[in-house]
Amino acid sequence: MSAALAACPAAAAGQARWERPARCAQPRRCLVRAAAKNVSTKGSTTTKGGSASTKGGDGAPGFKFDGSMQRWVRDDRFAGKSMTTVQPLSGTAYTVWPVMHTYLTEKGLKQVDEEEALALARKGAVIVDVRLADDYKKEHIEGAVSVPMFRLTQGTSNWDNVKRFVMGSLAMKATERDPDFLANFGKAMGGNKRKTIIVACAVGGTLDTVASWGVRVATTGKSAQDPDRAFGRETRSLKACYELMQAGYTNVIHLKGGLSSWRYNGYPTEGSNVRD
Protein backbone atom coordinates (compact mmCIF):
# COMPACT_ATOMS: atom_id res chain seq x y z
CA MET A 1 0.00 0.00 0.00
CA SER A 2 2.78 2.47 0.75
CA ALA A 3 4.02 2.68 -2.84
CA ALA A 4 0.57 3.35 -4.18
CA LEU A 5 -0.21 5.85 -1.49
CA ALA A 6 2.75 8.01 -2.27
CA ALA A 7 1.73 9.25 -5.65
CA CYS A 8 -1.12 11.67 -5.92
CA PRO A 9 -1.06 15.43 -5.53
CA ALA A 10 -4.36 16.51 -7.04
CA ALA A 11 -6.85 14.91 -4.75
CA ALA A 12 -7.70 18.35 -3.56
CA ALA A 13 -10.19 18.69 -6.37
CA GLY A 14 -12.20 15.65 -5.52
CA GLN A 15 -12.48 13.82 -2.32
CA ALA A 16 -14.43 14.07 0.72
CA ARG A 17 -14.80 16.24 3.60
CA TRP A 18 -11.63 17.63 2.22
CA GLU A 19 -12.57 21.15 1.42
CA ARG A 20 -9.14 22.72 1.48
CA PRO A 21 -7.61 22.45 -1.95
CA ALA A 22 -3.93 22.81 -1.86
CA ARG A 23 -2.93 22.08 1.68
CA CYS A 24 -4.51 18.67 1.73
CA ALA A 25 -3.51 15.85 4.03
CA GLN A 26 -1.28 13.08 2.70
CA PRO A 27 -4.01 10.40 2.77
CA ARG A 28 -6.25 12.53 0.62
CA ARG A 29 -3.54 12.96 -2.00
CA CYS A 30 -2.78 9.30 -2.20
CA LEU A 31 -6.18 8.12 -3.26
CA VAL A 32 -6.25 9.86 -6.61
CA ARG A 33 -2.82 9.20 -7.86
CA ALA A 34 -4.02 9.52 -11.45
CA ALA A 35 -3.61 13.26 -11.08
CA ALA A 36 0.02 13.11 -10.14
CA LYS A 37 1.39 14.88 -13.18
CA ASN A 38 0.24 17.31 -15.81
CA VAL A 39 0.09 15.47 -19.07
CA SER A 40 1.44 17.00 -22.24
CA THR A 41 -0.83 15.46 -24.85
CA LYS A 42 -4.40 16.26 -25.78
CA GLY A 43 -7.20 13.74 -25.49
CA SER A 44 -7.36 11.08 -22.82
CA THR A 45 -4.34 9.77 -21.00
CA THR A 46 -4.50 6.65 -18.89
CA THR A 47 -2.05 6.20 -16.05
CA LYS A 48 -1.44 3.34 -13.68
CA GLY A 49 -4.24 3.37 -11.15
CA GLY A 50 -6.50 5.87 -12.91
CA SER A 51 -6.86 8.27 -15.81
CA ALA A 52 -6.50 11.97 -16.51
CA SER A 53 -8.15 13.68 -19.45
CA THR A 54 -6.90 16.82 -21.14
CA LYS A 55 -8.28 19.10 -23.78
CA GLY A 56 -7.13 22.30 -25.38
CA GLY A 57 -8.94 25.56 -24.73
CA ASP A 58 -8.66 28.92 -26.44
CA GLY A 59 -7.25 31.40 -23.96
CA ALA A 60 -7.50 28.97 -21.05
CA PRO A 61 -4.65 29.33 -18.57
CA GLY A 62 -2.12 26.59 -18.06
CA PHE A 63 -1.61 25.12 -14.62
CA LYS A 64 0.08 22.38 -12.69
CA PHE A 65 0.01 20.98 -9.20
CA ASP A 66 2.95 21.99 -7.03
CA GLY A 67 3.42 18.92 -4.88
CA SER A 68 6.09 20.54 -2.72
CA MET A 69 3.72 23.33 -1.61
CA GLN A 70 0.49 21.35 -2.03
CA ARG A 71 -1.26 23.87 -4.25
CA TRP A 72 -2.32 24.52 -7.82
CA VAL A 73 -0.13 27.08 -9.57
CA ARG A 74 -0.53 28.86 -12.86
CA ASP A 75 1.98 27.84 -15.52
CA ASP A 76 1.12 28.88 -19.06
CA ARG A 77 3.64 26.45 -20.48
CA PHE A 78 0.84 23.94 -19.98
CA ALA A 79 -1.86 26.05 -21.68
CA GLY A 80 -4.12 23.68 -23.59
CA LYS A 81 -2.29 20.70 -22.15
CA SER A 82 -3.26 20.71 -18.48
CA MET A 83 -5.49 17.93 -17.22
CA THR A 84 -9.17 18.81 -17.02
CA THR A 85 -10.73 15.71 -15.49
CA VAL A 86 -9.45 12.89 -13.31
CA GLN A 87 -10.79 9.43 -12.60
CA PRO A 88 -9.64 8.58 -9.07
CA LEU A 89 -9.01 5.09 -7.80
CA SER A 90 -12.00 5.44 -5.49
CA GLY A 91 -15.15 7.32 -6.43
CA THR A 92 -16.37 8.99 -9.61
CA ALA A 93 -14.50 11.18 -12.08
CA TYR A 94 -14.29 14.91 -11.38
CA THR A 95 -13.19 18.15 -13.02
CA VAL A 96 -10.00 19.60 -11.56
CA TRP A 97 -10.33 22.82 -9.61
CA PRO A 98 -8.41 25.24 -11.90
CA VAL A 99 -10.84 24.42 -14.70
CA MET A 100 -13.79 25.15 -12.42
CA HIS A 101 -12.21 28.37 -11.16
CA THR A 102 -11.60 29.62 -14.71
CA TYR A 103 -15.18 28.85 -15.72
CA LEU A 104 -16.76 30.46 -12.65
CA THR A 105 -14.60 33.55 -13.03
CA GLU A 106 -15.39 33.93 -16.71
CA LYS A 107 -19.11 33.49 -16.03
CA GLY A 108 -18.97 36.11 -13.27
CA LEU A 109 -20.36 33.97 -10.45
CA LYS A 110 -22.06 36.28 -7.97
CA GLN A 111 -20.87 35.99 -4.37
CA VAL A 112 -22.78 37.43 -1.42
CA ASP A 113 -22.25 37.88 2.30
CA GLU A 114 -24.67 36.90 5.05
CA GLU A 115 -26.75 40.08 4.98
CA GLU A 116 -27.18 39.94 1.23
CA ALA A 117 -28.07 36.24 1.37
CA LEU A 118 -30.66 36.85 4.09
CA ALA A 119 -32.26 39.64 2.07
CA LEU A 120 -32.44 37.43 -1.02
CA ALA A 121 -33.91 34.54 0.99
CA ARG A 122 -36.66 36.86 2.24
CA LYS A 123 -37.49 37.55 -1.40
CA GLY A 124 -37.77 33.86 -2.26
CA ALA A 125 -34.23 32.68 -2.91
CA VAL A 126 -33.38 29.20 -1.62
CA ILE A 127 -30.25 28.64 0.45
CA VAL A 128 -28.92 25.18 -0.35
CA ASP A 129 -26.48 23.41 1.98
CA VAL A 130 -24.29 20.97 0.05
CA ARG A 131 -22.47 19.49 3.05
CA LEU A 132 -22.96 15.90 4.20
CA ALA A 133 -26.49 15.11 5.38
CA ASP A 134 -25.29 14.31 8.93
CA ASP A 135 -23.49 17.64 9.20
CA TYR A 136 -26.62 19.42 8.01
CA LYS A 137 -28.71 17.69 10.69
CA LYS A 138 -26.36 18.86 13.43
CA GLU A 139 -26.42 22.51 12.40
CA HIS A 140 -27.33 24.50 9.32
CA ILE A 141 -28.39 27.96 8.24
CA GLU A 142 -31.95 28.57 9.31
CA GLY A 143 -34.31 27.66 6.47
CA ALA A 144 -31.61 26.08 4.30
CA VAL A 145 -32.39 23.01 2.20
CA SER A 146 -30.04 20.02 2.24
CA VAL A 147 -28.74 18.62 -1.05
CA PRO A 148 -25.40 16.93 -0.29
CA MET A 149 -22.80 17.01 -3.03
CA PHE A 150 -20.86 14.18 -1.36
CA ARG A 151 -21.89 11.01 0.43
CA LEU A 152 -20.16 8.41 2.58
CA THR A 153 -18.03 6.10 0.44
CA GLN A 154 -20.30 3.34 -0.88
CA GLY A 155 -17.89 1.09 -2.77
CA THR A 156 -16.28 -2.12 -1.57
CA SER A 157 -13.15 -2.15 -3.71
CA ASN A 158 -9.69 -2.32 -2.15
CA TRP A 159 -9.21 1.40 -2.69
CA ASP A 160 -12.59 2.20 -1.12
CA ASN A 161 -11.54 0.15 1.91
CA VAL A 162 -8.14 1.87 2.00
CA LYS A 163 -9.87 5.24 1.95
CA ARG A 164 -12.18 4.28 4.82
CA PHE A 165 -9.25 2.95 6.86
CA VAL A 166 -7.03 5.99 6.29
CA MET A 167 -9.74 8.57 6.93
CA GLY A 168 -11.04 6.63 9.93
CA SER A 169 -7.55 6.66 11.45
CA LEU A 170 -7.69 10.46 11.23
CA ALA A 171 -11.15 10.55 12.81
CA MET A 172 -12.56 11.76 9.48
CA LYS A 173 -15.25 10.43 7.17
CA ALA A 174 -14.39 8.73 3.90
CA THR A 175 -16.63 10.29 1.28
CA GLU A 176 -17.12 10.47 -2.44
CA ARG A 177 -19.06 12.68 -4.81
CA ASP A 178 -22.72 11.68 -4.92
CA PRO A 179 -23.47 10.65 -8.53
CA ASP A 180 -27.11 11.60 -7.93
CA PHE A 181 -26.30 15.16 -6.83
CA LEU A 182 -27.77 16.92 -9.86
CA ALA A 183 -30.84 14.67 -9.93
CA ASN A 184 -31.46 15.27 -6.22
CA PHE A 185 -30.94 18.98 -6.71
CA GLY A 186 -33.49 19.04 -9.50
CA LYS A 187 -36.05 17.33 -7.28
CA ALA A 188 -35.40 19.77 -4.43
CA MET A 189 -35.95 22.71 -6.79
CA GLY A 190 -39.02 21.16 -8.39
CA GLY A 191 -37.24 21.14 -11.74
CA ASN A 192 -37.04 24.94 -11.78
CA LYS A 193 -33.62 25.92 -13.15
CA ARG A 194 -34.44 29.64 -13.05
CA LYS A 195 -34.96 29.78 -9.30
CA THR A 196 -32.50 31.94 -7.36
CA ILE A 197 -30.19 29.56 -5.50
CA ILE A 198 -27.64 30.48 -2.84
CA VAL A 199 -25.12 27.66 -2.43
CA ALA A 200 -23.46 27.19 0.96
CA CYS A 201 -20.98 24.80 2.55
CA ALA A 202 -18.89 24.86 5.71
CA VAL A 203 -16.36 27.58 4.87
CA GLY A 204 -17.37 29.17 1.58
CA GLY A 205 -14.06 29.53 -0.23
CA THR A 206 -13.30 32.27 -2.74
CA LEU A 207 -12.51 32.94 -6.38
CA ASP A 208 -10.27 35.87 -5.39
CA THR A 209 -6.61 35.58 -6.31
CA VAL A 210 -5.49 38.71 -4.46
CA ALA A 211 -4.69 38.65 -0.75
CA SER A 212 -7.95 39.39 1.07
CA TRP A 213 -6.23 41.41 3.77
CA GLY A 214 -5.22 44.02 1.23
CA VAL A 215 -1.48 43.45 1.08
CA ARG A 216 0.15 46.03 -1.15
CA VAL A 217 3.55 46.15 -2.78
CA ALA A 218 5.47 48.99 -1.13
CA THR A 219 7.12 50.24 -4.33
CA THR A 220 3.98 50.32 -6.48
CA GLY A 221 1.08 50.52 -4.04
CA LYS A 222 -0.71 47.75 -5.94
CA SER A 223 -2.44 44.79 -4.34
CA ALA A 224 -0.25 41.71 -4.09
CA GLN A 225 -1.13 38.42 -5.71
CA ASP A 226 -1.29 35.66 -3.15
CA PRO A 227 0.80 32.67 -4.38
CA ASP A 228 -1.49 30.35 -2.43
CA ARG A 229 -4.42 31.69 -4.43
CA ALA A 230 -3.50 31.28 -8.06
CA PHE A 231 -6.96 29.75 -8.34
CA GLY A 232 -8.68 31.13 -5.24
CA ARG A 233 -9.70 28.73 -2.47
CA GLU A 234 -11.71 25.73 -3.56
CA THR A 235 -14.64 24.40 -1.56
CA ARG A 236 -17.61 22.16 -2.08
CA SER A 237 -19.98 25.07 -2.49
CA LEU A 238 -17.90 26.52 -5.33
CA LYS A 239 -17.65 23.10 -6.95
CA ALA A 240 -21.42 22.77 -6.64
CA CYS A 241 -21.88 26.18 -8.28
CA TYR A 242 -19.79 24.97 -11.20
CA GLU A 243 -21.81 21.80 -11.65
CA LEU A 244 -25.14 23.62 -11.34
CA MET A 245 -24.20 26.28 -13.86
CA GLN A 246 -22.93 23.59 -16.22
CA ALA A 247 -26.29 21.83 -15.79
CA GLY A 248 -28.20 24.93 -16.88
CA TYR A 249 -29.18 26.65 -13.62
CA THR A 250 -29.30 30.34 -14.46
CA ASN A 251 -29.44 32.09 -11.07
CA VAL A 252 -26.70 30.51 -9.00
CA ILE A 253 -25.16 32.58 -6.18
CA HIS A 254 -22.34 31.64 -3.82
CA LEU A 255 -22.36 32.35 -0.07
CA LYS A 256 -19.00 33.72 1.03
CA GLY A 257 -17.75 32.32 4.32
CA GLY A 258 -20.30 29.51 4.44
CA LEU A 259 -21.85 28.29 7.68
CA SER A 260 -18.73 29.16 9.67
CA SER A 261 -18.95 32.88 8.89
CA TRP A 262 -22.76 32.84 9.15
CA ARG A 263 -22.59 31.42 12.67
CA TYR A 264 -19.67 33.63 13.76
CA ASN A 265 -21.50 36.78 12.72
CA GLY A 266 -24.58 35.87 14.71
CA TYR A 267 -27.00 34.88 11.96
CA PRO A 268 -29.63 32.27 12.84
CA THR A 269 -28.90 28.55 12.60
CA GLU A 270 -30.87 25.44 13.53
CA GLY A 271 -30.23 21.74 14.05
CA SER A 272 -29.82 19.06 16.70
CA ASN A 273 -26.63 20.63 18.09
CA VAL A 274 -28.01 24.17 18.26
CA ARG A 275 -28.94 25.39 21.70
CA ASP A 276 -31.23 28.33 22.34
Side-chain angles (χ1 to χ4, degrees), residues 132-151:
L132 291 175
D134 284 347
D135 294 334
Y136 170 87
K137 290 175 183 177
K138 292 175 183 176
E139 183 179 18
H140 57 267
I141 293 169
E142 188 175 82
V145 174
S146 175
V147 186
M149 188 179 185
F150 283 75
R151 67 183 184 183

Side-chain angles (χ1 to χ4, degrees), residues 110-132:
K110 182 177 180 180
Q111 302 187 81
V112 298
D113 60 21
E114 300 89 357
E115 194 61 34
E116 293 169 309
L118 197 57
L120 288 169
R122 287 169 177 163
K123 294 179 181 178
V126 179
I127 299 176
V128 181
D129 189 325
V130 297
R131 297 174 303 140
L132 291 175

Side-chain angles (χ1 to χ4, degrees), residues 16-87:
R17 211 179 126 127
W18 309 329
E19 300 205 331
R20 293 173 298 171
R23 299 189 181 283
C24 47
Q26 176 71 22
R28 174 175 65 175
R29 294 187 289 121
C30 320
L31 297 173
V32 245
R33 98 190 217 216
K37 296 180 180 178
N38 277 30
V39 290
S40 58
T41 57
K42 297 180 182 180
S44 179
T45 298
T46 300
T47 63
K48 229 173 177 186
S51 64
S53 296
T54 66
K55 63 181 179 181
D58 295 336
F63 56 87
K64 66 179 182 179
F65 192 86
D66 180 354
S68 64
M69 296 300 292
Q70 288 299 288
R71 66 188 181 197
W72 291 102
V73 295
R74 180 162 178 162
D75 190 334
D76 288 332
R77 292 176 300 174
F78 293 101
K81 302 176 183 178
S82 300
M83 70 176 79
T84 58
T85 60
V86 167
Q87 173 61 61

Side-chain angles (χ1 to χ4, degrees), residues 52-266:
S53 296
T54 66
K55 63 181 179 181
D58 295 336
F63 56 87
K64 66 179 182 179
F65 192 86
D66 180 354
S68 64
M69 296 300 292
Q70 288 299 288
R71 66 188 181 197
W72 291 102
V73 295
R74 180 162 178 162
D75 190 334
D76 288 332
R77 292 176 300 174
F78 293 101
K81 302 176 183 178
S82 300
M83 70 176 79
T84 58
T85 60
V86 167
Q87 173 61 61
L89 293 167
S90 173
T92 58
Y94 59 85
T95 301
V96 298
W97 170 243
V99 174
M100 295 186 186
H101 179 272
T102 300
Y103 176 86
L104 294 173
T105 301
E106 290 177 348
K107 294 294 183 181
L109 174 66
K110 182 177 180 180
Q111 302 187 81
V112 298
D113 60 21
E114 300 89 357
E115 194 61 34
E116 293 169 309
L118 197 57
L120 288 169
R122 287 169 177 163
K123 294 179 181 178
V126 179
I127 299 176
V128 181
D129 189 325
V130 297
R131 297 174 303 140
L132 291 175
D134 284 347
D135 294 334
Y136 170 87
K137 290 175 183 177
K138 292 175 183 176
E139 183 179 18
H140 57 267
I141 293 169
E142 188 175 82
V145 174
S146 175
V147 186
M149 188 179 185
F150 283 75
R151 67 183 184 183
L152 295 178
T153 299
Q154 303 291 304
T156 57
S157 71
N158 288 339
W159 278 106
D160 292 321
N161 292 331
V162 167
K163 183 196 291 186
R164 275 189 282 266
F165 174 78
V166 172
M167 299 310 294
S169 68
L170 297 173
M172 297 175 69
K173 300 173 183 175
T175 66
E176 62 190 11
R177 186 194 173 283
D178 189 339
D180 297 322
F181 170 65
L182 290 175
N184 293 337
F185 203 99
K187 291 177 184 177
M189 296 300 111
N192 184 358
K193 291 190 174 183
R194 295 184 178 181
K195 196 170 191 64
T196 301
I197 300 160
I198 303 170
V199 184
C201 67
V203 294
T206 182
L207 297 177
D208 295 341
T209 58
V210 176
S212 60
W213 51 88
V215 174
R216 293 186 177 276
V217 179
T219 55
T220 64
K222 295 181 179 179
S223 296
Q225 292 290 318
D226 185 343
D228 276 337
R229 288 192 182 181
F231 296 98
R233 298 282 194 195
E234 72 177 283
T235 54
R236 286 182 181 174
S237 52
L238 284 170
K239 293 175 187 177
C241 287
Y242 169 83
E243 292 202 15
L244 293 170
M245 292 169 72
Q246 287 271 300
Y249 288 86
T250 57
N251 293 301
V252 178
I253 298 172
H254 179 246
L255 178 63
K256 295 186 291 187
L259 174 63
S260 178
S261 180
W262 184 280
R263 182 199 306 116
Y264 179 80
N265 288 313

